[in-house]
Amino acid sequence: MIILPDKQIILIAMWWMFCLPLLVSCSPAEESPEAQVRALLKRGETAAEKKETGTLRQMISDKYSDSQGQDKRAIEAILRYYFLRNESIHLFMRIQSIAFPQPAQAQAVILVAMAGQPIAGAQELERLRADLHRFEITLASENKEWKVIRAEWRRAEPGAFF
């Protein structure tokens, strides 16, 4: 055991008292809500390409409902069907907008191209005959985690991706 003289103990204590607040202030700040939503959307894109139904299921709120009368279970069934029907899934995603009408709610408009081959860019969409969709997604913060509570989608035009 090392015994330090009183002066060294005081100097070490003073050093920690001075440096600890600096170290804490240098730690990464909590991500903004927009950054959190963007990260969630990126995780969803990756999970869909890997056909990770469980990951996608966790991203959907138990309160999910849409204008088609679908709930979380119906969306899970649609995802499973799509994953079984398609041998490989490659997505090309463009986030058009993210807005926060309320502090714990976000609305995102996303363009998604789906193809059986990798999509390097928007210029390849017609050549690959990708399925093009426009999603309007509403997310809510539930226990400090963003979840999809509503989604509406329709066909999109190739020009929307440029």
Side-chain angles (χ1 to χ4, degrees):
M1 183 167 135
I2 299 173
I3 300 176
L4 298 173
D6 288 340
K7 278 187 172 181
Q8 283 185 323
I9 293 173
I10 292 169
L11 284 173
I12 291 171
M14 287 176 60
W15 184 83
W16 275 109
M17 286 175 34
F18 175 73
C19 289
L20 191 59
L22 291 175
L23 292 173
V24 170
S25 68
C26 292
S27 65
E30 187 175 315
E31 285 187 319
S32 71
E34 182 173 344
Q36 292 172 3
V37 168
R38 285 182 183 279
L40 177 85
L41 296 172
K42 184 64 181 164
R43 272 195 322 272
E45 177 185 27
T46 301
E49 288 182 327
K50 293 180 178 180
K51 299 182 180 185
E52 294 175 346
T53 310
T55 300
L56 294 168
R57 182 182 311 119
Q58 292 174 354
M59 298 169 73
I60 303 169
S61 172
D62 290 337
K63 300 171 188 170
Y64 180 93
S65 68
D66 60 32
S67 63
Q68 309 268 308
Q70 299 172 124
D71 61 5
K72 181 177 181 173
R73 293 181 80 194
I75 296 302
E76 289 172 1
I78 290 168
L79 289 170
R80 281 192 303 275
Y81 173 76
Y82 192 80
F83 292 161
L84 286 172
R85 192 170 157 241
N86 294 282
E87 188 175 319
S88 63
I89 299 170
H90 297 276
L91 303 179
F92 179 74
M93 181 176 73
R94 287 248 197 259
I95 299 173
Q96 277 195 325
S97 66
I98 298 176
F100 294 87
Q102 298 172 13
Q105 190 178 68
Q107 292 178 331
V109 176
I110 304 155
L111 299 171
V112 180
M114 303 175 204
Q117 305 172 39
I119 308 168
Q123 64 280 2
E124 292 190 332
L125 297 179
E126 285 190 43
R127 181 183 66 80
L128 293 174
R129 297 184 331 185
D131 290 332
L132 310 177
H133 298 279
R134 180 181 192 272
F135 290 87
E136 294 178 20
I137 299 173
T138 303
L139 304 103
S141 180
E142 297 178 357
N143 300 318
K144 297 186 179 187
E145 201 175 332
W146 289 98
K147 301 228 178 200
V148 176
I149 60 170
R150 185 176 190 82
E152 304 295 332
W153 58 90
R154 65 175 194 253
R155 291 269 180 211
E157 297 298 320
F161 285 82
F162 290 97

